[in-house]
Structure formats: structure tokens, C-alpha cells
Amino acid sequence: MAAAGTAATTSSSHLTSPSSLPLYSFGVPWPELNEGLLYTDVVRSSGRGLTTSLIEFYSTKYKNSAPLQGWFQRIQNGQITVNGEVVTDPMYMLRDGLQVVYHRLPWKEPSAPYLLEVLYEDNDMVALNKPSGLQVLPGGLFQQRTALMQLQWKEWNFLACNSSKRSKSQETHPVPVHRLGRGTSGILLCAKTKLAKSRLAAYFASGAIFAGDDRGEMELGKPRNISKYYRALVGGIIKKDELVIRQPIGTINYPGVAKGLYVASSSGKPALSRMQVLERDDQRNQTLVQVEIHSGRPHQIRIHLAFVGHPLVGDPLYDIGGQPKAFESESIGDCFANDGGYQKPMQAVPGDCGYYLHAHKLFLDHPITNKRVEIVAPLPSILQTEAERHQNI
């Protein structure tokens, strides 16, 4: 690999300190099946005296969950209760105020790692090294196999802390204050107290405020309440040593993504990233880069690097221009799985893995003490420069 030019190397020199070792690891192996889910609704009629059938209620309100025949199957399978009683007649008429509950049956979630490394911990926050393949919060097929569930299962210790004071501000368990994509590895910051949670959330939110104007670009590279640096491996050789990307990010309709797929969009929300080249590999036609993100839009780095013509190596979803690879925009159709829900679409979805993206370093003002904290997540070998690899031998 060839090292990047002087401009990028000099400006990022403060980010090349050796990675620290994790403090410890934790995690519980996943049960074979999760516990299923309960979805509770209270019937509210659309007009005075109007009623609706059970099948009409679910196939209309939750049409993204299952096709019409799928909801027939769920009702006839005894998965719906009305005021606590199982109802198997799809044409059962609902009246205003009734409580209806859909019981989603337990299922075996896709494979996911469960061990988490602790990179930093005190009484207010904890930073984890999240492995690629682990989802942060419940969603889609992953309702139990998440980082949040492992945080809930662990017993957390609080050092030298008065228990009476702790009980008023301590969360029952640490909670993530931001997200990482399922395929993204690296630093996941979690709050242990309500005060730390609110302040850390404000740090992350503040980065998006100036993303849409000149002030955002002026702040890049300067100390802020929180600064995030990622490593990524992209396709092609990036000629410039540094790029500032200001492409807005919005959503489009996309099969299998109920709330819409995030893409590069002129009508989207402002987003700001700074990319610096670390090394170029002419033989493999790849470039190793560091990315600082000012805003934190979903899949921002994947979209921004694809937008400038260099999608992440192995990214199954985003192509040049920050758009998804070829897909059929029509409905998925009426094919449904064993539980009545839609089959997984043939096209890639955001949670699919295969790309190389790692949240490497985090600099922040401690939410309580205001002391400057640096957190480092050790780099996967594929995201190390040649010099870093030789350093670790």
C-alpha cells in the first residue's frame, strides 16, 4: 500500500496513538428461540358508531407486517386476543375501546455474536467495542440478539458511589446513546445515569445543528464536546488526500424497509463528513480512509463515500451515487413465511453485513466531570495501515 500525501498524514497525526486493550469482556450465549413479542392496540373507530372487522383492522393498520393472507393465517392460528380472549374468526367485529393483542410466536433469530468488550467504564458511562454482525437495538428479525439485551442481562457494579444518590439517577442498566449499523464494529457509547444520558445525547445532536451551513465545515477538526473518527476500506483509488462531503441524506421507498431506505437525496437532511486518505492500494484498487462525522445520519459514511464514487468494499447495498444497487420498487407480493409475515426481500437491506467500517476513536468531554476523555477501539487488521500492522508484529 502507498501512504497518503503529507496533508492528510500531518493533519491526522494526533489520531495514530497505539490502541488500548479492552478492560474486560462480557456476554451471555443466545437462547435458541427468543420469547416472541406482544403488540397491543386499543380500537379507536374512525367515525361515530362505525365498527371494523378483525381482519380489516390488522391488514390495514399493519399491512407492512404481513399480506392479507398472512393476517388470515395469524388470526386462525389463535395469535390474536380481544380483551384477553382468543378470537379465530377474521370477520369478528370490533367496537370502540376493545383491547386487541397480536402474539408474535417465538422464532430463531439469525446468527449474531454475543461477546462485548468494555473499552472504558466509570459510574456515568461505559464504552463498548461492538462486533460486526450485532445489532444495537431491537428491530426486524433481531428482537433479542442485540447489544441492548446483553446490557440488560449483565449485573453492573458502581464504584465508590453512595447508594442513596445512585438510586435517583442510575439507569436500571446502561443504554446506548447512539447507534452503529449492524455491520459496523467499534465504539458504542452507553450511559449509566439519566443525567449522563441526556448530556451525551445532546452532544451527538449538536453535531447536526451546523451541518447545513458554513459553520459546520469550519468546526471540522476542531475540539468539540464529542468527535468521532471511523476507519473504512473503500473501492477505487481516491486521488485527493482530503474531502469534505456535505450531501444531504433522505429516504426513499424500498422493499423490506417499512420506514424507508436512507440514501443521498437533495431534499434530505443536512449531513457533513470529512474523509482523509490513510493509504492507497493500487494493486487491489482500494483506499483506506479515516472519516470524521459531524452529523450522525443513519448509514452516513456508507452513503457519503458511495456518493463521491467510492462505496465501501463489500457493501451489499449502497452503490456509486449513494443509492441502492438495482432493485424492484414494486410490492414484495403476497408470499409469506411460516408466521404469516413477508419473506425477506431478495434485495439487500441496511442490516446486511460484508463491508469494512469501524468506529475507531472517540474524543469527548465527560458528561459529569467535563474532563477530556479519549476512547480507542482496537482496529481489525484489514483496517490497519501497513505501518500499524508492522507495529503489532
Side-chain angles (χ1 to χ4, degrees), residues 285-298:
N285 193 33
Q286 298 173 351
T287 305
L288 180 64
V289 300
Q290 172 182 277
V291 184
E292 177 192 3
I293 58 173
H294 205 297
S295 50
R297 306 300 178 199

Side-chain angles (χ1 to χ4, degrees), residues 272-317:
L272 181 62
S273 305
R274 182 178 70 163
M275 183 281 303
Q276 292 176 287
V277 171
L278 299 178
E279 231 169 34
R280 299 178 177 94
D281 189 336
D282 293 314
Q283 185 176 357
R284 292 184 174 86
N285 193 33
Q286 298 173 351
T287 305
L288 180 64
V289 300
Q290 172 182 277
V291 184
E292 177 192 3
I293 58 173
H294 205 297
S295 50
R297 306 300 178 199
H299 318 301
Q300 177 173 322
I301 293 175
R302 297 167 68 186
I303 294 169
H304 270 184
L305 291 175
F307 176 76
V308 297
H310 298 278
L312 270 62
V313 171
D315 193 331
L317 177 60

Side-chain angles (χ1 to χ4, degrees), residues 246-269:
R246 304 188 62 168
Q247 171 61 36
I249 293 175
T251 59
I252 60 171
N253 293 327
Y254 186 83
V257 185
K259 296 182 180 180
L261 176 69
Y262 288 92
V263 297
S265 170
S266 58
S267 60
K269 294 183 178 180

